[in-house]
Amino acid sequence: MRKWFIIGGSIIVALFVWLCADIYHSSISAEKVDKGDISILTKQYKLKNVEPISTYYGKKTYYIASGENEKGENVIAWVPEKAKKGDVIVRKKEDIISKEQVESIVKQDRNPQEIKSIRLAVSPNGKTPLWEVTYTDDENRLTYYYVTTGSGDFYRRYSLTSS
């Protein structure tokens, strides 16, 4: 009986170790994928000095990168995970409002308790580049506030309540 108990315990420990290793491997793989395949920017859009900025996980996954176009202008590109040429959004950096301007807009419009993050995003339809601001409001709700990258106009807001 004791022999079966030891064998069963060993199997459970082995499964636990395998599960932990699998979770670790998945997290490392996800980190590698975050850089995305932004080669479309150099091949089809002929951008130079392309560098990944971030990954946005919305309705679709978008890789956001900066680079330089043929005219020497600094641009930011939003590249869907499975990109075709017409799916990529490219905007001149000078036409995008700064993170500081976005923070000012949100503080003025919403008066947040604490701003947790400000990052580039894209609308659910994949047509509009946005800034996503995550903050806690005066009711201690986590709120997502989206403004357009060009003018800083309000796009969408939603809040999550804690239970």
Side-chain angles (χ1 to χ4, degrees):
M1 179 75 171
R2 183 175 173 175
K3 180 180 173 183
W4 289 108
F5 185 70
I6 292 172
I7 292 171
S10 298
I11 290 172
I12 289 172
V13 168
L15 286 173
F16 180 74
V17 169
W18 175 77
L19 180 64
C20 288
D22 186 52
I23 290 170
Y24 175 76
H25 177 70
S26 296
S27 67
I28 295 298
S29 297
E31 194 173 293
K32 289 178 186 173
V33 170
D34 278 354
K35 297 202 189 304
D37 183 14
I38 54 176
S39 62
I40 190 173
L41 297 176
T42 56
K43 292 176 186 170
Q44 294 183 3
Y45 286 86
K46 301 195 183 353
L47 297 184
K48 299 180 281 186
N49 305 321
V50 176
E51 293 185 22
I53 296 176
S54 64
T55 303
Y56 175 71
Y57 300 100
K59 197 171 185 179
K60 292 181 181 178
T61 300
Y62 280 82
Y63 304 109
I64 302 167
S66 66
E68 195 176 293
N69 65 15
E70 292 175 312
K71 297 176 184 175
E73 301 166 319
N74 290 322
V75 296
I76 295 181
W78 288 256
V79 183
E81 187 172 35
K82 295 179 177 151
K84 297 178 196 122
K85 187 169 182 174
D87 296 339
V88 176
I89 301 169
V90 179
R91 297 286 188 271
K92 290 182 197 174
K93 225 176 202 178
E94 65 187 38
D95 295 339
I96 296 173
I97 62 172
S98 70
K99 217 181 230 190
E100 291 76 19
Q101 289 171 304
V102 172
E103 183 176 359
S104 175
I105 290 168
V106 172
K107 283 181 177 178
Q108 184 178 13
D109 291 350
R110 304 303 305 166
N111 193 24
Q113 279 186 345
E114 176 189 3
I115 294 180
K116 300 206 177 268
S117 70
I118 300 173
R119 64 192 196 120
L120 291 168
V122 69
S123 64
N125 66 7
K127 305 273 187 229
T128 309
L130 303 169
W131 281 104
E132 176 189 72
V133 181
T134 308
Y135 66 88
T136 51
D137 65 12
D138 55 355
E139 295 177 27
N140 208 27
R141 298 178 299 191
L142 183 63
T143 301
Y144 293 87
Y145 191 83
Y146 297 89
V147 296
T148 59
T149 56
S151 61
D153 291 336
F154 171 76
Y155 183 81
R156 174 182 287 174
R157 173 181 57 90
Y158 63 92
S159 299
L160 305 173
T161 58
S162 58
S163 48

PDB file of all heavy atoms in Angstrom, residues 114-144:
ATOM      1  N   GLU A 114      -5.540  58.391  -9.677  1.00  0.00           N
ATOM      2  CA  GLU A 114      -4.185  57.965 -10.037  1.00  0.00           C
ATOM      3  C   GLU A 114      -4.177  57.453 -11.466  1.00  0.00           C
ATOM      4  O   GLU A 114      -4.976  56.587 -11.828  1.00  0.00           O
ATOM      5  CB  GLU A 114      -3.731  56.840  -9.104  1.00  0.00           C
ATOM      6  CG  GLU A 114      -2.380  56.273  -9.459  1.00  0.00           C
ATOM      7  CD  GLU A 114      -2.023  55.019  -8.674  1.00  0.00           C
ATOM      8  OE1 GLU A 114      -2.846  54.538  -7.875  1.00  0.00           O
ATOM      9  OE2 GLU A 114      -0.909  54.513  -8.899  1.00  0.00           O
ATOM     10  N   ILE A 115      -3.287  57.974 -12.285  1.00  0.00           N
ATOM     11  CA  ILE A 115      -3.111  57.469 -13.641  1.00  0.00           C
ATOM     12  C   ILE A 115      -2.127  56.311 -13.569  1.00  0.00           C
ATOM     13  O   ILE A 115      -1.011  56.460 -13.098  1.00  0.00           O
ATOM     14  CB  ILE A 115      -2.623  58.559 -14.608  1.00  0.00           C
ATOM     15  CG1 ILE A 115      -3.716  59.619 -14.778  1.00  0.00           C
ATOM     16  CG2 ILE A 115      -2.228  57.953 -15.951  1.00  0.00           C
ATOM     17  CD1 ILE A 115      -3.363  60.757 -15.696  1.00  0.00           C
ATOM     18  N   LYS A 116      -2.563  55.140 -14.037  1.00  0.00           N
ATOM     19  CA  LYS A 116      -1.735  53.936 -13.956  1.00  0.00           C
ATOM     20  C   LYS A 116      -0.872  53.760 -15.201  1.00  0.00           C
ATOM     21  O   LYS A 116       0.266  53.346 -15.100  1.00  0.00           O
ATOM     22  CB  LYS A 116      -2.617  52.711 -13.747  1.00  0.00           C
ATOM     23  CG  LYS A 116      -3.435  52.821 -12.468  1.00  0.00           C
ATOM     24  CD  LYS A 116      -3.786  51.493 -11.927  1.00  0.00           C
ATOM     25  CE  LYS A 116      -4.527  51.610 -10.629  1.00  0.00           C
ATOM     26  NZ  LYS A 116      -3.674  51.584  -9.477  1.00  0.00           N
ATOM     27  N   SER A 117      -1.430  54.054 -16.383  1.00  0.00           N
ATOM     28  CA  SER A 117      -0.635  53.924 -17.612  1.00  0.00           C
ATOM     29  C   SER A 117      -1.241  54.748 -18.735  1.00  0.00           C
ATOM     30  O   SER A 117      -2.440  55.016 -18.750  1.00  0.00           O
ATOM     31  CB  SER A 117      -0.532  52.461 -18.039  1.00  0.00           C
ATOM     32  OG  SER A 117      -1.783  52.001 -18.506  1.00  0.00           O
ATOM     33  N   ILE A 118      -0.373  55.129 -19.649  1.00  0.00           N
ATOM     34  CA  ILE A 118      -0.773  55.804 -20.887  1.00  0.00           C
ATOM     35  C   ILE A 118       0.000  55.114 -21.990  1.00  0.00           C
ATOM     36  O   ILE A 118       1.230  55.064 -21.957  1.00  0.00           O
ATOM     37  CB  ILE A 118      -0.435  57.307 -20.869  1.00  0.00           C
ATOM     38  CG1 ILE A 118      -1.146  58.006 -19.708  1.00  0.00           C
ATOM     39  CG2 ILE A 118      -0.808  57.955 -22.202  1.00  0.00           C
ATOM     40  CD1 ILE A 118      -0.733  59.467 -19.522  1.00  0.00           C
ATOM     41  N   ARG A 119      -0.735  54.546 -22.959  1.00  0.00           N
ATOM     42  CA  ARG A 119      -0.044  53.839 -24.035  1.00  0.00           C
ATOM     43  C   ARG A 119      -0.833  53.934 -25.325  1.00  0.00           C
ATOM     44  O   ARG A 119      -2.026  54.236 -25.325  1.00  0.00           O
ATOM     45  CB  ARG A 119       0.183  52.383 -23.656  1.00  0.00           C
ATOM     46  CG  ARG A 119      -1.083  51.598 -23.481  1.00  0.00           C
ATOM     47  CD  ARG A 119      -0.814  50.267 -22.822  1.00  0.00           C
ATOM     48  NE  ARG A 119      -1.944  49.389 -22.998  1.00  0.00           N
ATOM     49  CZ  ARG A 119      -1.912  48.242 -23.606  1.00  0.00           C
ATOM     50  NH1 ARG A 119      -0.781  47.805 -24.109  1.00  0.00           N
ATOM     51  NH2 ARG A 119      -2.981  47.502 -23.724  1.00  0.00           N
ATOM     52  N   LEU A 120      -0.150  53.665 -26.418  1.00  0.00           N
ATOM     53  CA  LEU A 120      -0.793  53.696 -27.727  1.00  0.00           C
ATOM     54  C   LEU A 120      -1.690  52.474 -27.891  1.00  0.00           C
ATOM     55  O   LEU A 120      -1.370  51.384 -27.399  1.00  0.00           O
ATOM     56  CB  LEU A 120       0.265  53.739 -28.830  1.00  0.00           C
ATOM     57  CG  LEU A 120       1.035  55.057 -28.902  1.00  0.00           C
ATOM     58  CD1 LEU A 120       2.247  54.924 -29.801  1.00  0.00           C
ATOM     59  CD2 LEU A 120       0.136  56.177 -29.387  1.00  0.00           C
ATOM     60  N   ALA A 121      -2.807  52.669 -28.568  1.00  0.00           N
ATOM     61  CA  ALA A 121      -3.791  51.610 -28.782  1.00  0.00           C
ATOM     62  C   ALA A 121      -4.419  51.811 -30.159  1.00  0.00           C
ATOM     63  O   ALA A 121      -3.965  52.656 -30.942  1.00  0.00           O
ATOM     64  CB  ALA A 121      -4.861  51.666 -27.688  1.00  0.00           C
ATOM     65  N   VAL A 122      -5.448  51.059 -30.440  1.00  0.00           N
ATOM     66  CA  VAL A 122      -6.172  51.198 -31.704  1.00  0.00           C
ATOM     67  C   VAL A 122      -7.640  50.860 -31.457  1.00  0.00           C
ATOM     68  O   VAL A 122      -7.965  50.091 -30.551  1.00  0.00           O
ATOM     69  CB  VAL A 122      -5.542  50.298 -32.812  1.00  0.00           C
ATOM     70  CG1 VAL A 122      -5.760  48.840 -32.533  1.00  0.00           C
ATOM     71  CG2 VAL A 122      -6.035  50.673 -34.190  1.00  0.00           C
ATOM     72  N   SER A 123      -8.523  51.478 -32.239  1.00  0.00           N
ATOM     73  CA  SER A 123      -9.960  51.248 -32.073  1.00  0.00           C
ATOM     74  C   SER A 123     -10.318  49.800 -32.422  1.00  0.00           C
ATOM     75  O   SER A 123      -9.580  49.133 -33.154  1.00  0.00           O
ATOM     76  CB  SER A 123     -10.749  52.210 -32.964  1.00  0.00           C
ATOM     77  OG  SER A 123     -10.467  51.949 -34.329  1.00  0.00           O
ATOM     78  N   PRO A 124     -11.454  49.307 -31.916  1.00  0.00           N
ATOM     79  CA  PRO A 124     -11.853  47.928 -32.209  1.00  0.00           C
ATOM     80  C   PRO A 124     -11.981  47.613 -33.705  1.00  0.00           C
ATOM     81  O   PRO A 124     -11.717  46.492 -34.129  1.00  0.00           O
ATOM     82  CB  PRO A 124     -13.207  47.783 -31.508  1.00  0.00           C
ATOM     83  CG  PRO A 124     -13.159  48.784 -30.405  1.00  0.00           C
ATOM     84  CD  PRO A 124     -12.357  49.936 -30.952  1.00  0.00           C
ATOM     85  N   ASN A 125     -12.351  48.606 -34.515  1.00  0.00           N
ATOM     86  CA  ASN A 125     -12.480  48.353 -35.952  1.00  0.00           C
ATOM     87  C   ASN A 125     -11.134  48.414 -36.678  1.00  0.00           C
ATOM     88  O   ASN A 125     -11.050  48.164 -37.870  1.00  0.00           O
ATOM     89  CB  ASN A 125     -13.487  49.317 -36.587  1.00  0.00           C
ATOM     90  CG  ASN A 125     -13.030  50.764 -36.566  1.00  0.00           C
ATOM     91  OD1 ASN A 125     -11.897  51.079 -36.198  1.00  0.00           O
ATOM     92  ND2 ASN A 125     -13.923  51.651 -36.942  1.00  0.00           N
ATOM     93  N   GLY A 126     -10.067  48.779 -35.952  1.00  0.00           N
ATOM     94  CA  GLY A 126      -8.727  48.812 -36.531  1.00  0.00           C
ATOM     95  C   GLY A 126      -8.463  49.987 -37.444  1.00  0.00           C
ATOM     96  O   GLY A 126      -7.493  49.996 -38.194  1.00  0.00           O
ATOM     97  N   LYS A 127      -9.289  51.026 -37.373  1.00  0.00           N
ATOM     98  CA  LYS A 127      -9.145  52.169 -38.278  1.00  0.00           C
ATOM     99  C   LYS A 127      -8.580  53.422 -37.609  1.00  0.00           C
ATOM    100  O   LYS A 127      -8.014  54.272 -38.269  1.00  0.00           O
ATOM    101  CB  LYS A 127     -10.512  52.523 -38.879  1.00  0.00           C
ATOM    102  CG  LYS A 127     -11.204  51.379 -39.574  1.00  0.00           C
ATOM    103  CD  LYS A 127     -10.780  51.284 -40.997  1.00  0.00           C
ATOM    104  CE  LYS A 127     -11.614  50.243 -41.719  1.00  0.00           C
ATOM    105  NZ  LYS A 127     -10.861  49.322 -42.474  1.00  0.00           N
ATOM    106  N   THR A 128      -8.757  53.537 -36.286  1.00  0.00           N
ATOM    107  CA  THR A 128      -8.387  54.764 -35.600  1.00  0.00           C
ATOM    108  C   THR A 128      -7.296  54.520 -34.568  1.00  0.00           C
ATOM    109  O   THR A 128      -7.510  53.770 -33.612  1.00  0.00           O
ATOM    110  CB  THR A 128      -9.627  55.362 -34.879  1.00  0.00           C
ATOM    111  OG1 THR A 128     -10.703  55.454 -35.810  1.00  0.00           O
ATOM    112  CG2 THR A 128      -9.326  56.723 -34.299  1.00  0.00           C
ATOM    113  N   PRO A 129      -6.121  55.156 -34.720  1.00  0.00           N
ATOM    114  CA  PRO A 129      -5.092  55.042 -33.686  1.00  0.00           C
ATOM    115  C   PRO A 129      -5.489  55.875 -32.466  1.00  0.00           C
ATOM    116  O   PRO A 129      -6.001  56.984 -32.613  1.00  0.00           O
ATOM    117  CB  PRO A 129      -3.837  55.583 -34.356  1.00  0.00           C
ATOM    118  CG  PRO A 129      -4.308  56.396 -35.498  1.00  0.00           C
ATOM    119  CD  PRO A 129      -5.669  55.916 -35.880  1.00  0.00           C
ATOM    120  N   LEU A 130      -5.272  55.321 -31.291  1.00  0.00           N
ATOM    121  CA  LEU A 130      -5.723  55.953 -30.059  1.00  0.00           C
ATOM    122  C   LEU A 130      -4.627  55.955 -29.001  1.00  0.00           C
ATOM    123  O   LEU A 130      -3.643  55.227 -29.106  1.00  0.00           O
ATOM    124  CB  LEU A 130      -6.922  55.172 -29.478  1.00  0.00           C
ATOM    125  CG  LEU A 130      -8.146  54.983 -30.345  1.00  0.00           C
ATOM    126  CD1 LEU A 130      -9.094  53.976 -29.700  1.00  0.00           C
ATOM    127  CD2 LEU A 130      -8.853  56.304 -30.559  1.00  0.00           C
ATOM    128  N   TRP A 131      -4.865  56.766 -27.980  1.00  0.00           N
ATOM    129  CA  TRP A 131      -4.128  56.677 -26.722  1.00  0.00           C
ATOM    130  C   TRP A 131      -5.068  56.016 -25.729  1.00  0.00           C
ATOM    131  O   TRP A 131      -6.239  56.401 -25.626  1.00  0.00           O
ATOM    132  CB  TRP A 131      -3.744  58.053 -26.193  1.00  0.00           C
ATOM    133  CG  TRP A 131      -2.561  58.691 -26.839  1.00  0.00           C
ATOM    134  CD1 TRP A 131      -2.566  59.700 -27.761  1.00  0.00           C
ATOM    135  CD2 TRP A 131      -1.192  58.391 -26.595  1.00  0.00           C
ATOM    136  NE1 TRP A 131      -1.286  60.027 -28.113  1.00  0.00           N
ATOM    137  CE2 TRP A 131      -0.415  59.237 -27.396  1.00  0.00           C
ATOM    138  CE3 TRP A 131      -0.534  57.480 -25.774  1.00  0.00           C
ATOM    139  CZ2 TRP A 131       0.973  59.216 -27.413  1.00  0.00           C
ATOM    140  CZ3 TRP A 131       0.856  57.444 -25.784  1.00  0.00           C
ATOM    141  CH2 TRP A 131       1.587  58.313 -26.595  1.00  0.00           C
ATOM    142  N   GLU A 132      -4.575  55.035 -24.986  1.00  0.00           N
ATOM    143  CA  GLU A 132      -5.349  54.389 -23.931  1.00  0.00           C
ATOM    144  C   GLU A 132      -4.786  54.840 -22.591  1.00  0.00           C
ATOM    145  O   GLU A 132      -3.603  54.652 -22.316  1.00  0.00           O
ATOM    146  CB  GLU A 132      -5.247  52.870 -24.038  1.00  0.00           C
ATOM    147  CG  GLU A 132      -5.944  52.139 -22.903  1.00  0.00           C
ATOM    148  CD  GLU A 132      -5.647  50.655 -22.916  1.00  0.00           C
ATOM    149  OE1 GLU A 132      -4.490  50.295 -22.576  1.00  0.00           O
ATOM    150  OE2 GLU A 132      -6.540  49.872 -23.264  1.00  0.00           O
ATOM    151  N   VAL A 133      -5.642  55.424 -21.763  1.00  0.00           N
ATOM    152  CA  VAL A 133      -5.229  55.870 -20.434  1.00  0.00           C
ATOM    153  C   VAL A 133      -5.975  55.003 -19.422  1.00  0.00           C
ATOM    154  O   VAL A 133      -7.194  54.897 -19.461  1.00  0.00           O
ATOM    155  CB  VAL A 133      -5.570  57.354 -20.199  1.00  0.00           C
ATOM    156  CG1 VAL A 133      -5.104  57.802 -18.828  1.00  0.00           C
ATOM    157  CG2 VAL A 133      -4.980  58.216 -21.301  1.00  0.00           C
ATOM    158  N   THR A 134      -5.226  54.380 -18.528  1.00  0.00           N
ATOM    159  CA  THR A 134      -5.816  53.566 -17.473  1.00  0.00           C
ATOM    160  C   THR A 134      -5.624  54.318 -16.167  1.00  0.00           C
ATOM    161  O   THR A 134      -4.509  54.729 -15.847  1.00  0.00           O
ATOM    162  CB  THR A 134      -5.117  52.193 -17.388  1.00  0.00           C
ATOM    163  OG1 THR A 134      -5.103  51.603 -18.683  1.00  0.00           O
ATOM    164  CG2 THR A 134      -5.834  51.274 -16.428  1.00  0.00           C
ATOM    165  N   TYR A 135      -6.722  54.515 -15.445  1.00  0.00           N
ATOM    166  CA  TYR A 135      -6.635  55.249 -14.185  1.00  0.00           C
ATOM    167  C   TYR A 135      -7.698  54.774 -13.202  1.00  0.00           C
ATOM    168  O   TYR A 135      -8.637  54.073 -13.586  1.00  0.00           O
ATOM    169  CB  TYR A 135      -6.769  56.761 -14.416  1.00  0.00           C
ATOM    170  CG  TYR A 135      -8.115  57.216 -14.918  1.00  0.00           C
ATOM    171  CD1 TYR A 135      -9.143  57.538 -14.037  1.00  0.00           C
ATOM    172  CD2 TYR A 135      -8.375  57.333 -16.274  1.00  0.00           C
ATOM    173  CE1 TYR A 135     -10.382  57.961 -14.499  1.00  0.00           C
ATOM    174  CE2 TYR A 135      -9.597  57.761 -16.749  1.00  0.00           C
ATOM    175  CZ  TYR A 135     -10.606  58.071 -15.854  1.00  0.00           C
ATOM    176  OH  TYR A 135     -11.826  58.481 -16.313  1.00  0.00           O
ATOM    177  N   THR A 136      -7.529  55.155 -11.939  1.00  0.00           N
ATOM    178  CA  THR A 136      -8.584  54.913 -10.949  1.00  0.00           C
ATOM    179  C   THR A 136      -9.317  56.230 -10.754  1.00  0.00           C
ATOM    180  O   THR A 136      -8.711  57.296 -10.668  1.00  0.00           O
ATOM    181  CB  THR A 136      -8.013  54.420  -9.599  1.00  0.00           C
ATOM    182  OG1 THR A 136      -6.980  55.290  -9.183  1.00  0.00           O
ATOM    183  CG2 THR A 136      -7.478  53.009  -9.701  1.00  0.00           C
ATOM    184  N   ASP A 137     -10.649  56.124 -10.713  1.00  0.00           N
ATOM    185  CA  ASP A 137     -11.457  57.333 -10.560  1.00  0.00           C
ATOM    186  C   ASP A 137     -11.795  57.574  -9.090  1.00  0.00           C
ATOM    187  O   ASP A 137     -11.336  56.856  -8.207  1.00  0.00           O
ATOM    188  CB  ASP A 137     -12.704  57.263 -11.444  1.00  0.00           C
ATOM    189  CG  ASP A 137     -13.673  56.157 -11.054  1.00  0.00           C
ATOM    190  OD1 ASP A 137     -13.517  55.558  -9.968  1.00  0.00           O
ATOM    191  OD2 ASP A 137     -14.597  55.886 -11.838  1.00  0.00           O
ATOM    192  N   ASP A 138     -12.620  58.587  -8.833  1.00  0.00           N
ATOM    193  CA  ASP A 138     -12.941  58.959  -7.456  1.00  0.00           C
ATOM    194  C   ASP A 138     -13.789  57.910  -6.726  1.00  0.00           C
ATOM    195  O   ASP A 138     -13.910  57.954  -5.509  1.00  0.00           O
ATOM    196  CB  ASP A 138     -13.620  60.335  -7.411  1.00  0.00           C
ATOM    197  CG  ASP A 138     -14.851  60.410  -8.287  1.00  0.00           C
ATOM    198  OD1 ASP A 138     -15.141  59.439  -9.004  1.00  0.00           O
ATOM    199  OD2 ASP A 138     -15.515  61.456  -8.269  1.00  0.00           O
ATOM    200  N   GLU A 139     -14.360  56.958  -7.446  1.00  0.00           N
ATOM    201  CA  GLU A 139     -15.106  55.861  -6.831  1.00  0.00           C
ATOM    202  C   GLU A 139     -14.249  54.591  -6.752  1.00  0.00           C
ATOM    203  O   GLU A 139     -14.772  53.499  -6.561  1.00  0.00           O
ATOM    204  CB  GLU A 139     -16.394  55.598  -7.607  1.00  0.00           C
ATOM    205  CG  GLU A 139     -17.367  56.766  -7.537  1.00  0.00           C
ATOM    206  CD  GLU A 139     -18.613  56.533  -8.369  1.00  0.00           C
ATOM    207  OE1 GLU A 139     -18.992  55.361  -8.586  1.00  0.00           O
ATOM    208  OE2 GLU A 139     -19.212  57.527  -8.794  1.00  0.00           O
ATOM    209  N   ASN A 140     -12.949  54.754  -6.949  1.00  0.00           N
ATOM    210  CA  ASN A 140     -11.964  53.671  -6.898  1.00  0.00           C
ATOM    211  C   ASN A 140     -12.216  52.586  -7.951  1.00  0.00           C
ATOM    212  O   ASN A 140     -11.930  51.417  -7.728  1.00  0.00           O
ATOM    213  CB  ASN A 140     -11.895  53.073  -5.488  1.00  0.00           C
ATOM    214  CG  ASN A 140     -10.528  52.504  -5.217  1.00  0.00           C
ATOM    215  OD1 ASN A 140      -9.532  52.953  -5.786  1.00  0.00           O
ATOM    216  ND2 ASN A 140     -10.463  51.502  -4.372  1.00  0.00           N
ATOM    217  N   ARG A 141     -12.772  52.978  -9.094  1.00  0.00           N
ATOM    218  CA  ARG A 141     -12.967  52.055 -10.214  1.00  0.00           C
ATOM    219  C   ARG A 141     -11.797  52.170 -11.169  1.00  0.00           C
ATOM    220  O   ARG A 141     -11.269  53.260 -11.384  1.00  0.00           O
ATOM    221  CB  ARG A 141     -14.258  52.388 -10.972  1.00  0.00           C
ATOM    222  CG  ARG A 141     -15.511  52.253 -10.161  1.00  0.00           C
ATOM    223  CD  ARG A 141     -16.707  52.645 -10.977  1.00  0.00           C
ATOM    224  NE  ARG A 141     -16.567  54.059 -11.378  1.00  0.00           N
ATOM    225  CZ  ARG A 141     -17.536  54.771 -11.916  1.00  0.00           C
ATOM    226  NH1 ARG A 141     -18.699  54.222 -12.183  1.00  0.00           N
ATOM    227  NH2 ARG A 141     -17.352  56.031 -12.238  1.00  0.00           N
ATOM    228  N   LEU A 142     -11.417  51.049 -11.749  1.00  0.00           N
ATOM    229  CA  LEU A 142     -10.403  51.061 -12.797  1.00  0.00           C
ATOM    230  C   LEU A 142     -11.095  51.516 -14.075  1.00  0.00           C
ATOM    231  O   LEU A 142     -12.090  50.926 -14.494  1.00  0.00           O
ATOM    232  CB  LEU A 142      -9.795  49.673 -12.975  1.00  0.00           C
ATOM    233  CG  LEU A 142      -8.668  49.574 -13.995  1.00  0.00           C
ATOM    234  CD1 LEU A 142      -7.478  50.430 -13.557  1.00  0.00           C
ATOM    235  CD2 LEU A 142      -8.236  48.136 -14.164  1.00  0.00           C
ATOM    236  N   THR A 143     -10.570  52.565 -14.685  1.00  0.00           N
ATOM    237  CA  THR A 143     -11.214  53.154 -15.852  1.00  0.00           C
ATOM    238  C   THR A 143     -10.253  53.178 -17.028  1.00  0.00           C
ATOM    239  O   THR A 143      -9.076  53.483 -16.874  1.00  0.00           O
ATOM    240  CB  THR A 143     -11.691  54.582 -15.534  1.00  0.00           C
ATOM    241  OG1 THR A 143     -12.601  54.522 -14.433  1.00  0.00           O
ATOM    242  CG2 THR A 143     -12.384  55.227 -16.719  1.00  0.00           C
ATOM    243  N   TYR A 144     -10.789  52.849 -18.200  1.00  0.00           N
ATOM    244  CA  TYR A 144     -10.050  52.924 -19.461  1.00  0.00           C
ATOM    245  C   TYR A 144     -10.644  54.084 -20.244  1.00  0.00           C
ATOM    246  O   TYR A 144     -11.839  54.135 -20.500  1.00  0.00           O
ATOM    247  CB  TYR A 144     -10.184  51.624 -20.251  1.00  0.00           C
ATOM    248  CG  TYR A 144      -9.508  50.465 -19.579  1.00  0.00           C
ATOM    249  CD1 TYR A 144     -10.181  49.694 -18.632  1.00  0.00           C
ATOM    250  CD2 TYR A 144      -8.191  50.135 -19.877  1.00  0.00           C
ATOM    251  CE1 TYR A 144      -9.558  48.630 -18.010  1.00  0.00           C
ATOM    252  CE2 TYR A 144      -7.559  49.076 -19.261  1.00  0.00           C
ATOM    253  CZ  TYR A 144      -8.255  48.329 -18.326  1.00  0.00           C
ATOM    254  OH  TYR A 144      -7.625  47.288 -17.706  1.00  0.00           O
TER     255      TYR A 144
END
